[in-house]
Amino acid sequence: MKPFVYNALPSRVIFGSNTLYQIKDELRLLGKNRGLVLSTAGQHKAASQVSNLLGEFSVGCFNGAVMHTPITVTNDALKIVMETKADCIIAIGGGSTIGLAKAIALNTNLPQIVIPTTYAGSEATPIIGQTENGVKTTQRTLKVLPEVIIYDVELTKTLPVPITITSAMNAIAHAIEALYSKDANPFISMLAEQGIEALARAIPIIYHSPLDSAARSDALFGAWACGTCLGAVGMSIHHKLCHTLGGSFSLPHAETHTVILPHAVAYNESATTEVMARVAKALGVSNAAQGLYDLAAQHGAPTSLKEIGMNASDISLAVEIACASPYWNPRPIEAKAIHNLLSNAFYGKRP
């Protein structure tokens, strides 16, 4: 056994069906009684439901969360926090809403209860990404780690299939990068393989039967497992590229992860042959990069940066941004090779 360091993260996790109805009890356990509910505009009905369940413990809703956590939106939300004298932040939704909750916590130290409705996994991490002046930056701090995560399988059944697939691919990316992370350890690696296997098993079933309870449960467990991996160890080239493309070119988050993942895996394959064999086994395929591409393509997910809004003329700038600051990756970061990676991803070439 190789030496390793593992830091467990202090979060309370409630997993099951109809767990949303425990929200008031969880607020009480935190010793709070003035919860502000966050969501995107599209999920305002879900936010209202949570607010109603809280009853007198709710101070209202803020439905302005958007992708990539722009500082301007955070500032608007902070004004509402001050006006309502909220003592707890409650987020229902995906990465956009959870990102806003984290940004508020970063600025106020208020506790968070998060209720994920997608498979992005950010709820399980002490990581926040924020966008200012067209640049997305990330930082790791326990100040933004949610105190409570409520996973309710029933809430994910209405998640549209296209979002389900890209969100699940986003989660798989966390686990794969955790397996070849310089901080890898046996516990997280085991969890990563379980997460990949659960999501790969769930995706085809949900694609054909979106209301399948067992598949939705597998997918939500996989999301938690992969998110825990993201929170426990460092990420590499895949996440760096996705943050660059999302923050600087406003590409959609989960779709960007879906497109980039097979190409990032192919980039690192020669330096991580043992890891890629484990990924392929978890996916049930012979080649990890090709298996990931096929998993997306066969279930209606985008496979090219072109189809999600990127311009070919932006590739060179993306390479420049991604290579601007040194970071660890199992294979050295080489601008020419990264340009080739992004070109393949732009045109949707199968690895």
Side-chain angles (χ1 to χ4, degrees), residues 89-100:
I89 302 301
I90 300 156
I92 182 164
S96 298
T97 304
I98 294 167
L100 177 59

Side-chain angles (χ1 to χ4, degrees), residues 85-213:
K85 298 181 180 178
D87 63 7
C88 184
I89 302 301
I90 300 156
I92 182 164
S96 298
T97 304
I98 294 167
L100 177 59
K102 288 181 173 184
I104 293 172
L106 183 66
N107 283 275
T108 64
N109 284 318
L110 290 179
Q112 305 168 73
I113 300 174
V114 297
I115 309 159
T117 59
T118 71
Y119 305 125
S122 61
E123 68 278 356
T125 78
I127 301 168
I128 180 172
Q130 300 182 95
T131 304
E132 185 173 19
N133 299 323
V135 177
K136 187 171 185 178
T137 58
T138 62
Q139 62 176 299
R140 179 182 290 263
T141 169
L142 287 175
K143 287 177 69 175
V144 305
L145 181 70
E147 280 72 14
V148 180
I149 310 169
I150 298 177
Y151 288 107
D152 190 334
V153 175
E154 298 304 314
L155 295 179
T156 65
K157 288 184 177 179
T158 56
L159 186 66
V161 170
I163 299 176
T164 293
I165 307 304
T166 56
S167 181
M169 295 295 293
N170 181 10
I172 289 173
H174 308 329
I176 291 176
E177 290 229 294
L179 282 167
Y180 59 62
S181 170
K182 66 177 178 179
D183 307 317
N185 64 73
F187 175 76
I188 291 300
S189 294
M190 177 181 66
L191 202 57
E193 291 183 61
Q194 285 187 307
I196 295 168
E197 184 178 353
L199 286 161
R201 180 172 64 244
I203 286 173
I205 298 173
I206 294 172
Y207 181 70
H208 294 289
S209 303
L211 298 179
D212 188 287
S213 294

Side-chain angles (χ1 to χ4, degrees), residues 2-7 183-186 188 232-233:
K2 296 179 181 179
F4 66 89
V5 174
Y6 169 58
N7 290 310
D183 307 317
N185 64 73
I188 291 300
V233 299

